[in-house]
Amino acid sequence: MKIHEFYKMFRRNWPVKLVCFVLAVFIYFFYRTATIQGKTLVVSLDVSSQGVTLPAQTLPSHIKVSLKGRPEDLARITEKNISALVNLDHYTEAGKYTVPVEILLAPEILGIEPLEVTVDKSFLEIAIAKRDRRQLPVEAEIQGTPAAGYEITDISIVPSTIGVSGAQSILDAMAEVSTDEISVDEKRTSFSQNIPIQHESDLVSYNDESVTVTVTIQPITASRRFVDQTVYLYGVNPLLEAYCEPERITFTVTGNQNQLEAFVPELHTVRIDCSSLTKAGTYVVPVEVVLPNGIRLVSQSDRTAKVFLAPFSSDSSKETAENEAEDELEDSQKAAGSSEGAGESQHLSAESLSQTDSADFTATTGAGNTSGVLQLD
């Protein structure tokens, strides 16, 4: 067909033909609108940084994606079929870049037609830094306080350092790696525990995810001073009277704080053993401080004391003899029933008592010196 004939045919009834064309276009778009629907999904945003750089800032973990297609096709599309990717593999220098967001479709939806996929943010402004690796010390995050009278004396961590990798700018701000919280509230004994590492940033990776922390808890050691405590003399010969110089001493002890607070010196805490001193005289004898288990003596003002032993005074002996004589006289009077017999009995008893006192004094002063104790002439 020649061109002029086609032109004549086109111009023939051209208004009708134009109206038909417009109607056809309208029907097409109406059909498209009626049969194609929209759907919005929130999909995960992945970052690929296998090169020498990686993000120096926290990126959103998800991004919004819009879909358009037939209703029956959209119904079988879920977040698992679509993912978004930011690829930093080809960036080699630190800086701030506008990076495109790529949309990845699962193989099972690649053949769907028609399907239109658009992302909410096609580009992201990302700060990129050089990758770095370091070995950082681990610090235990201790919370609370031990029981009263106890304290933490040591904390050991195995391993003591952990390898970390991440953006150089981020690692420059990290001086250490911290563990999760470890509670020591009201603890009285040591313990060992496997503790996870705190992930302070998603941009940093750790070679180890946990460490073993051993916390050593022991009683608090304290000191206490006791002033002017009376020196107790025990084992003294009953026929002798005794006293010592000094009569009081001061001593200092150390031990468990709780035990020291409850400790009260008794009468026999500071004492001198006089059981080996058998005769009158002056002796230099060690002063002993007796303490319960767990409390240790640090110092004492006097380690020795002078002990003076002497027979009981004459007045005391005379009074004792007279009392005993009166008792014997009373008993004799009751037994004999006459005053003459009672007087004789009183005379004999007094004489007998005098002889007994003399014999006791002789035996006391005649004893030998005690071994291991210094006697002063």
Side-chain angles (χ1 to χ4, degrees), residues 1-7:
M1 181 181 293
K2 295 183 179 180
I3 296 178
H4 67 278
E5 293 178 354
F6 176 79
Y7 179 70

Side-chain angles (χ1 to χ4, degrees), residues 152-338:
I152 298 174
T153 58
D154 184 60
I155 299 175
S156 64
I157 304 173
V158 179
S160 59
T161 62
I162 285 183
V164 297
S165 61
Q168 185 178 29
S169 57
I170 296 178
L171 296 187
D172 286 342
M174 294 179 62
E176 60 192 27
V177 176
S178 298
T179 67
D180 285 350
E181 292 184 357
I182 305 171
S183 176
V184 296
D185 272 336
E186 299 302 319
K187 295 284 188 181
R188 289 180 170 82
T189 58
S190 304
F191 64 93
S192 184
Q193 193 172 345
N194 195 45
I195 306 296
I197 293 296
Q198 285 187 11
H199 287 198
E200 298 181 1
S201 173
D202 295 335
L203 303 177
V204 178
S205 59
Y206 302 82
N207 291 354
D208 296 290
E209 294 298 324
S210 63
V211 294
T212 300
V213 179
T214 301
V215 181
T216 303
I217 298 177
Q218 294 181 346
I220 296 175
T221 300
S223 297
R224 191 175 174 189
R225 189 166 179 258
F226 296 90
V227 180
D228 292 339
Q229 298 298 308
T230 301
V231 180
Y232 174 74
L233 303 178
Y234 72 98
V236 178
N237 190 326
L239 300 178
L240 301 174
E241 57 180 352
Y243 68 95
C244 67
E245 290 183 358
E247 296 181 348
R248 299 175 181 271
I249 71 166
T250 297
F251 64 90
T252 303
V253 295
T254 184
N256 184 333
Q257 184 182 32
N258 291 343
Q259 190 176 6
L260 281 185
E261 291 177 353
F263 173 62
V264 177
E266 299 177 351
L267 175 64
H268 300 168
T269 296
V270 181
R271 63 188 188 181
I272 293 177
D273 183 6
C274 299
S275 59
S276 60
L277 309 180
T278 59
K279 70 174 184 176
T282 302
Y283 303 87
V284 176
V285 184
V287 178
E288 181 184 11
V289 180
V290 182
L291 301 171
N293 292 333
I295 298 180
R296 182 174 58 86
L297 180 67
V298 176
S299 63
Q300 60 188 79
S301 58
D302 296 274
R303 294 191 175 275
T304 60
K306 288 184 179 181
V307 176
F308 302 92
L309 295 178
F312 285 102
S313 63
S314 58
D315 293 340
S316 175
S317 299
K318 181 179 180 181
E319 181 180 356
T320 302
E322 291 176 350
N323 292 336
E324 292 180 354
E326 290 177 357
D327 293 339
E328 290 182 4
L329 177 60
E330 184 177 353
D331 293 340
S332 299
Q333 288 175 344
K334 290 180 180 180
S338 65

Side-chain angles (χ1 to χ4, degrees), residues 115-131:
L115 180 63
E116 181 182 339
V117 182
T118 58
V119 64
D120 183 44
K121 294 182 179 180
S122 301
F123 295 88
L124 293 177
E125 292 288 336
I126 302 177
I128 298 175
K130 287 288 187 77
R131 186 186 300 275

